[in-house]
Amino acid sequence: MTLFYIVLATFIGGLLSVVIAASLTVSLLSRIVQNLVSLSTGVLLSTALLHVLPEAFESKASPHALFAVLLGGLMFFFLLEKVELYRHNHHHEGDGHHHHHHFDAEQAGRGGLSVLVGDSIHNFCDGIIIAAAFLADPHLGLVTSLAIIAHEIPQEVGDYIVLLNAGFSRAKALFFNAVSGLAAVLGGVVGYFVVGPWESLFPYLLVAASSSFVYVAVADLIPQLQRRLPWRDTALQLAWLAAGIALVVVVVRVSAH
């Protein structure tokens, strides 16, 4: 049953954002993507700091070793960002087309393939993280899946917009986004069979997952929100952030009963 839950969670996470993108117009997606960023920031931080990290530190693993893994994870994702494999689609360029991560009008045409490759690698790693969380505790797997899905929605919406700007048709952009999302399923299956026998490593994998959540939220998403805005827009940001935190708290409490 654990493998079934892993496959189901990764499948939903990989395709839900594609369904959302397919159901909305590009102009509407461009308007709501910042709200989705605020929501996913709250979900990622609350999942890491209120649930996954406490779970890891309640194990018999050495706190010093876990903090070392946390530091190493943050540095690892920093290096991935440097080679443009991890963070490739979160920044708007202001050229009128809502491109992400320095995809300007000239770069967009050749950027579609790199977006798909980078996103596939990212989704594969997410699948491994989900597998490790479910193997450690089904409730933890559920909350971790929620955090990853919440982050995937604005990310995949951003990918979709970039692919359209790169010259992909709407149908082609949705298709390749869906294929990229299915890399999470492959990662989940691989994680189940590779990570499963190494139960003593679960606390370290959970901390590594948390380092991913914290890094993406603090280094990637929050800087997008730190702009001078009218007070109403700032209040809306805070409301979406609070909604993300509340969503995780509710899911944790419900899944525990």
Side-chain angles (χ1 to χ4, degrees):
M1 284 300 293
T2 301
L3 179 59
F4 171 76
Y5 290 141
I6 292 171
V7 171
L8 181 63
T10 52
F11 182 80
I12 292 174
L15 294 184
L16 180 61
S17 56
V18 178
V19 173
I20 291 175
S23 62
L24 302 175
T25 64
V26 175
S27 60
L28 179 58
L29 289 174
S30 298
R31 288 197 300 270
I32 69 171
V33 68
Q34 284 301 309
N35 293 335
L36 296 177
V37 167
S38 298
L39 177 69
S40 64
T41 299
V43 170
L44 288 173
L45 286 177
S46 57
T47 298
L49 300 178
L50 300 181
H51 197 59
V52 180
L53 281 176
E55 182 82 14
F57 277 89
E58 287 172 2
S59 69
K60 297 180 181 180
S62 165
H64 290 86
L66 293 177
F67 273 115
V69 172
L70 180 61
L71 175 60
L74 294 173
M75 295 305 299
F76 174 72
F77 290 112
F78 170 76
L79 292 175
L80 279 182
E81 178 187 42
K82 282 295 185 182
V83 297
E84 298 185 353
L85 288 178
Y86 190 80
R87 189 179 69 171
H88 53 75
N89 63 346
H90 292 296
H91 296 278
H92 301 260
E93 282 301 304
D95 60 3
H97 297 286
H98 297 282
H99 300 304
H100 298 260
H101 192 58
H102 306 294
F103 278 93
D104 59 23
E106 294 180 357
Q107 293 172 315
R110 59 182 180 273
L113 181 60
S114 64
V115 165
L116 290 171
V117 171
D119 201 33
S120 296
I121 295 172
H122 180 183
N123 290 335
F124 181 83
C125 294
D126 284 344
I128 294 177
I129 290 172
I130 288 174
F134 269 107
L135 288 167
D137 182 343
H139 297 147
L140 187 62
L142 177 61
V143 177
T144 301
S145 299
L146 171 67
I148 289 177
I149 290 171
H151 175 52
E152 283 299 311
I153 291 174
Q155 174 182 305
E156 297 297 343
V157 167
D159 283 347
Y160 175 62
I161 295 173
V162 169
L163 292 177
L164 291 179
N165 287 324
F168 287 68
S169 67
R170 184 181 178 92
K172 192 175 181 180
L174 291 172
F175 172 76
F176 280 109
N177 244 10
V179 172
S180 172
L182 290 178
V185 179
L186 178 61
V189 174
V190 170
Y192 176 81
F193 288 105
V194 173
V195 176
W198 303 92
E199 186 173 350
S200 61
L201 295 179
F202 288 173
Y204 303 99
L205 290 173
L206 295 179
V207 171
S210 293
S211 70
S212 168
F213 295 165
V214 172
Y215 185 86
V216 170
V218 173
D220 194 358
L221 301 182
I222 289 179
Q224 294 184 55
L225 305 177
Q226 289 288 34
R227 295 178 297 157
R228 186 181 295 275
L229 296 170
W231 70 268
R232 291 182 179 179
D233 291 339
T234 299
L236 189 61
Q237 279 187 348
L238 293 174
W240 280 100
L241 275 166
I245 296 171
L247 182 60
V248 171
V249 172
V250 170
V251 169
V252 169
R253 290 185 177 180
V254 169
S255 64
H257 293 292

